């Protein structure tokens, strides 16, 4: 019977496809409409019947956007910042997650509780002291001022701790100890291969978060050395900013994220599913 | 090869009001297959893990040969371990799993491959060397776990219930394989199980544990024939030994109106209440005119070679279950009332209060 569970597997029917199609449409529409808006002027978009199809003027608009704002510099800076934050977060959070999940040490529970509690403190509360700290280190207006505070997140530590605890049995680690491995070798040869899907998920989430971050970079970076989000600012100048140019710039800044997802998508989705099944 | 000695080894888990292992004294001989057996929570796995270095020893010491290994990390103890769930590295091939310890020991690649191949031949794993563990059956995984242990040629093998994840048929087969392999290699082995049949069939000696305490260490047959106390008597043997509290009449143990035949030397040591132990094969069915205990049959277990009668009798006004081996197939049926008498050579007498054995 369609749509019912037979031997534990649900079969899709027309309703499933319609529902999935509808959700996909809603999800994809904003991106599609960005493309449409990026290829039409303000007047065209304000017409009684707004256009629904993009045209080739999108390339001219991207070019105008590139002339107007330091988008390429922003793009390079964002790739550096997001890449470094992603690598750092994945590495440090996996190490910390492994330590909290599998190593016995005094104060482990309290340290984890403190780590998780920091998630409840809003970023805005720490901005002024953080800026003062960065200025003291001489890092204001340096990309490292954006990278350093985000190299390890409480969410990442907690996420990896939960995954390591459920995906890596204690016996596997004990077997590696018996085989002559030390803690770091156990981490590298046994834990990392087992938690790679979770690392990919954390990597993607971190990359997106770092890529989209606007608040901290605009405080600590100048407009001469912006990340992509900060550089969009320069597009919205003037009394009546051209929506098409803003959208063309935004689209330009979104492409790298789409590439990351296209490259890692399969593993990321696999990772999410594995995590779900293992609870 | 090596000897293993526990000297008052104690393990006390944090937050517990009593130690998991209060102080174990045990000597395991060179090349011996020692089985630690007991019910869940008896401390057998903790003992093994202390030997392997996976649990700290809170007091006392553990020696391998003359070397005190109490505080030595697992990798420096020259011990290999086989885990209950095999603990194979899922992302590595069978060959890599087996060779991992050798790689850690920085053995060169050529020698490593030779050692892995030799072990694989011994275990019939050569055709699976390039497979990942997920592509193997339970029995094959178990053999890979064994292979991972033997390639290292360690001083001691530790095995923590390695057969408990196998089906009954595979378990019997693997049981024999492990025992054969151990006798070929001659490596001192400490094997933990809760299954007394496994203990009896595999161990050259068996250590029976309960509540962290060592109850008795002996060969399987001596444990069966001469259990030191009520716990060992009830734990070793399948079907279990019948344990019946007897009353004393003129210093002679009686079960209801039946006098239990006890050697004079044993009778002379009886000072208070005693419990009589009778194995199912140490009782025989007799005609009602010969007296004995009257037993109402509730089930007959036909095993082909043997049949066991499960029944109830009344002792001291209370129902007491009994298991008796019936000699003839089909002679007894559910609902029958039969009479049984003990075989004088198979009577075990225990002090009910202390649980200790009285007499030989």
């Amino acid at each position: 019977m369609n749509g019912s569970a037979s031997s534990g597997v649900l079969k899709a029917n027309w309703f499933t496809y319609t529902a999935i199609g509808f959700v996909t449409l809603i999800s994809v529409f904003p991106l599609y409409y960005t493309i449409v808006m990026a290829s039409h002027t303000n007047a065209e978009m304000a017409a009684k019947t707004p256009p629904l199809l993009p045209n080739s003027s999108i390339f001219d608009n991207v070019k105008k956007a590139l002339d107007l704002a330091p988008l390429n510099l922003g793009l390079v800076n964002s790739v550096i910042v997001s890449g470094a934050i992603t690598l750092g977060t994945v590495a440090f959070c996996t190490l910390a997650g492994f330590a909290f999940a599998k190593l016995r040490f005094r104060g482990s529970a309290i340290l984890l509780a403190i780590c998780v509690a920091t998630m409840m403190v809003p970023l805005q509360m720490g901005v002024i002291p953080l800026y003062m700290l960065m200025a003291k280190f001489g890092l204001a207006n340096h990309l490292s001022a954006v990278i350093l505070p985000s190299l390890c997140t409480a969410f990442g530590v907690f996420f990896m701790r939960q995954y390591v605890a459920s995906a890596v049995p204690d016996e596997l680690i004990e077997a590696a100890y018996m085989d002559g491995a030390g803690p770091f070798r156990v981490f590298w040869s046994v834990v990392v291969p087992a938690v790679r899907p979770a690392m990919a998920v954390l990597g993607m989430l971190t990359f997106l978060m770092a890529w989209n971050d606007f608040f901290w970079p605009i405080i600590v970076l100048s407009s001469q050395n912006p990340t992509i989000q900060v550089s969009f600012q320069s597009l919205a100048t003037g009394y009546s900013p051209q929506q098409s140019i803003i959208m063309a710039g935004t689209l330009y800044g979104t492409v790298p994220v789409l590439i990351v997802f296209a490259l890692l998508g399969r593993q990321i989705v696999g990772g999410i599913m594995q995590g779900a099944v293992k609870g | 090869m090596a000897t293993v000695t526990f000297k008052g080894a104690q393990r006390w888990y944090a937050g517990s009001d009593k130690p998991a292992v209060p102080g174990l004294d045990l000597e395991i001989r060179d090349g011996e297959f020692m089985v630690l057996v007991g019910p869940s929570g008896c401390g057998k796995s903790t003992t093994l893990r202390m030997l392997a270095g996976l649990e700290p020893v809170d007091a006392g010491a553990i020696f391998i040969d003359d070397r005190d290994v109490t505080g030595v990390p697992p990798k420096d103890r020259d011990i290999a371990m086989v885990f209950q769930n095999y603990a194979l590295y899922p992302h590595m091939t069978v060959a890599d799993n087996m060779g991992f310890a050798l790689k850690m020991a920085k053995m060169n690649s050529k020698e490593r491959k030779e050692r892995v191949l030799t072990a694989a031949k011994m275990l019939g794993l050569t055709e699976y060397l390039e497979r990942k563990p997920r592509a193997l059956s339970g029995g094959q995984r178990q053999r890979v776990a064994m292979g991972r242990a033997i390639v290292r040629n360690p001083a001691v093998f530790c095995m923590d219930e390695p057969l408990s994840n196998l089906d009954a048929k595979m378990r019997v087969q693997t049981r024999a394989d492990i025992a054969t392999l151990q006798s070929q290699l001659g490596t001192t082995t400490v094997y933990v199980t809760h299954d007394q049949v496994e203990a009896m069939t595999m161990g050259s000696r068996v250590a029976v544990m309960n509540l962290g305490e060592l109850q008795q260490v002996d060969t399987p047959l001596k444990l069966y024939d001469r259990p030191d106390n009520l716990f060992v008597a009830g734990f070793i043997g399948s079907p279990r030994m019948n344990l019946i509290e007897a009353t004393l009449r003129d210093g002679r143990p009686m079960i209801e109106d039946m006098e239990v035949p006890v050697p004079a030397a044993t009778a002379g040591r009886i000072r208070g209440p005693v419990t009589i132990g009778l194995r199912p094969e140490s009782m025989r069915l007799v005609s009602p005119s010969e007296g004995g205990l009257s037993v109402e049959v509730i089930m007959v277990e036909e095993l082909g070679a043997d049949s066991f009668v499960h029944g109830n009798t009344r002792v001291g006004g209370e129902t007491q279950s009994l298991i008796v081996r019936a000699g003839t197939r089909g002679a007894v049926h559910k609902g029958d009332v039969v009479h049984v008498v003990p075989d004088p050579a198979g009577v075990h007498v225990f002090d009910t209060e202390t649980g200790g054995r009285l007499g030989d």
Side-chain angles (χ1 to χ4, degrees):
Chain A
M1 202 172 71
N2 276 356
S4 69
S6 80
S7 66
V9 180
L10 283 172
K11 283 182 184 171
N13 57 19
W14 65 268
F15 178 76
T16 319
Y17 284 114
T18 311
I20 290 172
F22 184 67
V23 170
T24 309
L25 206 67
I26 289 181
S27 311
V28 172
F29 188 76
L31 180 66
Y32 175 74
Y33 209 63
T34 305
I35 299 169
V36 174
M37 283 178 83
S39 54
H40 293 277
T41 62
N42 279 5
E44 284 167 344
M45 290 309 294
K48 225 175 188 179
T49 327
L52 283 173
L53 290 173
N55 62 37
S56 60
S57 55
I58 188 170
F59 299 108
D60 292 333
N61 289 339
V62 169
K63 216 170 169 190
K64 280 180 201 164
L66 284 171
D67 291 339
L68 211 60
L71 291 187
N72 278 332
L73 176 65
L75 210 63
V76 171
N77 281 348
S78 271
V79 167
I80 293 169
V81 166
S82 305
I85 290 176
T86 303
L87 288 177
T89 303
V90 170
F92 293 132
C93 292
T94 310
L95 272 167
F98 164 60
F100 279 128
K102 297 294 176 185
L103 299 184
R104 283 188 237 173
F105 59 94
R106 204 180 286 267
S108 148
I110 292 170
L111 281 174
L112 182 65
I114 292 172
C115 183
V116 172
T118 61
M119 281 198 273
M120 293 166 204
V121 183
L123 172 72
Q124 287 78 355
M125 266 183 72
V127 160
I128 293 171
L130 191 60
Y131 185 86
M132 288 165 73
L133 207 63
M134 290 298 145
K136 206 170 182 182
F137 290 155
L139 296 176
N141 199 26
H142 281 268
L143 292 183
S144 43
V146 184
I147 296 169
L148 284 175
S150 304
L151 276 180
C152 190
T153 62
F155 166 75
V157 171
F158 184 67
F159 178 77
M160 291 312 295
R161 188 243 166 234
Q162 295 303 89
Y163 196 88
V164 172
S166 70
V168 187
D170 289 344
E171 288 90 342
L172 211 59
I173 287 168
E174 287 172 350
Y177 281 134
M178 297 295 302
D179 278 345
F184 195 77
R185 184 74 197 203
V186 170
F187 172 75
W188 187 249
S189 297
V190 178
V191 176
V192 167
V195 302
R196 206 174 281 163
M199 290 168 77
V201 172
L202 181 64
M204 186 202 66
L205 295 176
T206 308
F207 188 89
L208 281 179
M209 226 145 62
W211 190 268
N212 291 332
D213 192 15
F214 177 73
F215 182 67
W216 176 240
I218 200 167
I219 291 171
V220 83
L221 296 179
S222 72
S223 55
Q224 281 76 47
N225 188 29
T227 59
I228 189 76
Q229 306 298 336
V230 175
S231 66
F232 289 153
Q233 256 200 136
S234 316
L235 295 172
T237 51
Y239 189 68
S240 167
Q242 271 290 328
Q243 295 298 336
S244 56
I245 293 172
I246 295 174
M247 286 303 149
T250 311
L251 196 64
Y252 188 72
T254 311
V255 169
V257 181
L258 295 177
I259 293 172
V260 167
F261 193 82
L263 290 176
L264 296 176
R266 188 175 288 256
Q267 188 161 16
I268 288 163
V269 172
I272 292 169
M273 293 315 292
Q274 248 185 43
V277 172
K278 283 182 178 166
Chain B
M1 292 205 286
T3 59
V4 174
T5 311
F6 290 87
K7 281 190 180 166
Q10 187 187 77
R11 176 71 184 123
W12 200 305
Y13 287 111
S16 173
D17 56 353
K18 56 181 182 176
V21 178
L24 181 75
D25 290 295
L26 176 65
E27 284 188 23
I28 300 166
R29 297 168 197 147
D30 189 9
E32 188 170 40
F33 197 121
M34 172 65 81
V35 179
L36 305 182
V37 69
S40 294
C42 73
K44 55 190 188 298
S45 285
T46 306
T47 302
L48 188 80
R49 290 169 60 81
M50 284 198 290
L51 170 61
L54 298 172
E55 290 288 345
V57 178
D58 294 316
I62 298 174
F63 292 84
I64 295 177
D65 282 332
D66 294 328
R67 190 164 76 108
D68 185 348
V69 296
T70 313
V72 176
K75 66 187 174 76
D76 299 327
R77 294 191 181 200
D78 199 11
I79 284 179
M81 184 144 169
V82 179
F83 292 85
Q84 184 173 357
N85 63 1
Y86 320 131
L88 300 178
Y89 310 121
H91 56 286
M92 293 186 198
T93 62
V94 168
D96 289 342
N97 261 284
M98 288 169 68
F100 185 71
L102 306 179
K103 197 174 171 184
M104 290 298 99
K106 298 189 167 49
M107 183 180 281
N108 68 59
S109 164
K110 188 169 170 261
E111 198 181 341
R112 205 162 71 212
K113 275 182 187 160
E114 279 170 13
R115 291 267 286 266
V116 168
L117 196 63
T118 309
K121 276 181 189 161
M122 205 182 278
L123 293 159
L125 287 169
T126 40
E127 59 187 297
Y128 307 113
L129 282 175
E130 293 312 311
R131 284 199 197 171
K132 295 270 175 72
R134 65 171 174 270
L136 302 176
S137 69
Q140 288 161 346
R141 285 180 203 183
Q142 207 284 332
R143 275 186 281 154
V144 176
M146 285 294 298
R148 191 168 64 179
I150 66 175
V151 286
R152 289 176 52 188
N153 195 18
V156 181
F157 283 140
C158 289
M159 301 191 191
D160 191 1
E161 309 213 25
L163 306 183
S164 57
N165 284 343
L166 300 178
D167 63 46
K169 195 178 168 191
M170 183 59 76
R171 200 178 305 166
V172 174
Q173 173 64 44
T174 313
R175 205 160 73 190
D177 291 345
I178 292 178
T180 311
L181 194 67
Q182 194 274 340
S183 69
Q184 276 172 10
L185 298 170
T187 308
T188 309
T189 302
V190 186
Y191 184 105
V192 161
T193 180
H194 64 271
D195 182 345
Q196 55 94 22
V197 177
E198 231 169 86
M200 297 290 281
T201 50
M202 298 176 83
S204 38
R205 279 195 306 158
V206 177
V208 184
M209 295 181 75
N210 187 35
L211 302 173
E213 305 271 6
L214 196 59
Q215 302 292 314
Q216 187 174 356
V217 188
D218 222 322
T219 60
L221 280 182
K222 281 194 179 156
L223 284 178
Y224 189 83
D225 291 339
R226 198 189 172 285
D228 273 356
N229 56 42
L230 276 170
F231 178 81
V232 178
F235 192 80
I236 297 292
S238 178
R240 61 180 173 76
M241 181 188 276
N242 299 294
L243 296 168
I244 309 160
E245 280 188 36
T247 50
L248 293 179
R249 193 179 295 165
D250 302 328
R252 292 187 311 249
M254 305 286 294
I255 300 175
E256 291 296 283
D257 290 331
M258 181 185 78
E259 184 182 339
V260 182
V262 173
T266 307
R269 297 181 61 184
I270 296 174
R271 299 281 178 271
V274 291
T275 298
I276 303 298
L278 295 165
R279 299 251 177 234
E281 67 274 19
S282 300
M283 287 190 280
R284 58 194 173 85
L285 301 174
V286 293
S287 63
S289 60
E290 289 180 66
L293 278 176
S294 139
V295 179
E296 186 190 351
V297 178
I298 53 171
M299 187 182 85
V300 181
E301 205 175 40
E302 293 285 5
L303 301 175
D306 277 315
S307 58
F308 291 95
V309 175
H310 293 245
N312 289 331
T313 187
R314 300 286 292 174
V315 178
E318 288 183 8
T319 303
Q320 163 93 42
S321 63
L322 278 184
I323 305 172
V324 182
R325 189 169 77 181
T328 321
R329 218 190 264 198
V332 182
H333 301 97
K334 184 182 172 185
D336 288 354
V337 175
V338 295
H339 287 75
V340 298
V341 292
D343 174 0
V347 175
H348 304 263
V349 184
F350 302 96
D351 186 312
T352 305
E353 280 170 11
T354 64
R357 182 183 184 86
L358 298 174
D360 286 329

